[in-house]
Amino acid sequence: MSSRDRILGRIRRAVADGHPDPAVPRDYLRVHGVRTPAETADLLAAHLAEYRAQVHRADEAGIAPLLGRLLAARGARTVLVPPGLPPYWLDRAEAVTVADRTESTTYELDAVDSVVTGCALAIAETGTIVLDGGPGQGRRRITLIPDHHVCVVRVPDQVVDSVPQALSLLDPTRPLTWISGPSATSDIELDRVEGVHGPRTLEVILLSGPAE
């Protein structure tokens, strides 16, 4: 009998009594404190900045000029765009638009200068952005391979205070990606290196006002 067989045998014996799974207590706080929508957005911005994300604010009239400036400042010649992203967001961008294609290879994605996406929601208390592969976000790998990610969060509609609030709104069967700042890791001496597991640079636009 292999080690695998012994471990699986122990698991089978442990669950063989047929007792239902114990109830998970849910008496924890769902949110810490009371905030206005503006205060929640400010908290999100502060936590994103702590994680070294670059935070910008815009309204519907200003998002196209802002994206144009951000991509130009980055020197982006190409920008990857999911199919559901509002086309007018990139009206001022001089970079060549690259479509999100299933057949794109990792080498092709790595050659893209920037990617612009929306999000599923953002969590203020943790400074986290969640993607779920929706039409304005595209497939998971387009936000993991290019070195520069610009993510647009609608305020206040897509911002919640806490993780419990977020979990109640997300579909667990979708491909969820949780982002807290640019990709980073530290070695045993705590030297921080960015860009190891995803984009080296994360820029977040807090977009106010209703969708057009």
XYZ file of all heavy atoms in Angstrom, residues 58-67 69:
78
model
N -11.640 59.743 -12.114
C -12.174 60.347 -13.330
C -13.681 60.172 -13.350
O -14.245 59.341 -12.624
C -11.557 59.700 -14.574
N -14.343 60.971 -14.190
C -15.758 60.747 -14.476
C -15.871 60.282 -15.923
O -14.861 60.091 -16.609
C -16.586 62.013 -14.222
C -16.090 63.214 -15.017
O -15.334 63.011 -16.005
O -16.448 64.349 -14.666
N -17.098 60.065 -16.400
C -17.270 59.525 -17.741
C -16.647 60.426 -18.803
O -16.097 59.954 -19.798
C -18.754 59.302 -18.044
C -19.371 58.137 -17.289
C -18.874 56.784 -17.780
O -18.310 56.722 -18.899
O -19.048 55.796 -17.059
N -16.728 61.733 -18.584
C -16.172 62.654 -19.573
C -14.650 62.657 -19.555
O -14.007 62.978 -20.562
C -16.692 64.072 -19.326
N -14.081 62.287 -18.423
C -12.629 62.390 -18.285
C -11.863 61.098 -18.444
O -10.625 61.116 -18.480
N -12.559 59.970 -18.564
C -11.810 58.707 -18.581
C -11.007 58.521 -19.863
O -9.869 58.031 -19.833
C -12.732 57.501 -18.328
C -11.871 56.237 -18.187
C -13.789 57.364 -19.407
C -12.607 55.032 -17.690
N -11.555 58.920 -21.009
C -10.808 58.752 -22.258
C -9.528 59.591 -22.269
O -8.451 59.077 -22.597
C -11.690 59.076 -23.458
N -9.595 60.893 -21.902
C -8.350 61.663 -21.835
C -7.357 61.092 -20.824
O -6.152 61.067 -21.080
C -8.822 63.062 -21.427
C -10.241 63.132 -21.860
C -10.781 61.754 -21.696
N -7.868 60.620 -19.668
C -6.977 60.065 -18.645
C -6.282 58.809 -19.153
O -5.061 58.662 -19.008
C -7.760 59.763 -17.375
C -6.972 59.068 -16.252
C -5.756 59.890 -15.836
C -7.878 58.793 -15.051
N -7.045 57.886 -19.750
C -6.419 56.682 -20.281
C -5.406 57.015 -21.372
O -4.340 56.387 -21.456
C -7.487 55.734 -20.830
C -8.198 54.869 -19.786
C -9.396 54.151 -20.407
C -7.235 53.851 -19.180
N -3.561 59.676 -21.520
C -2.350 60.190 -20.857
C -1.570 59.055 -20.183
O -0.334 59.016 -20.255
C -2.732 61.247 -19.816
C -3.260 62.541 -20.421
C -3.293 63.652 -19.382
N -4.143 63.341 -18.240
C -5.434 63.606 -18.181
N -6.047 64.185 -19.210
N -6.143 63.318 -17.105
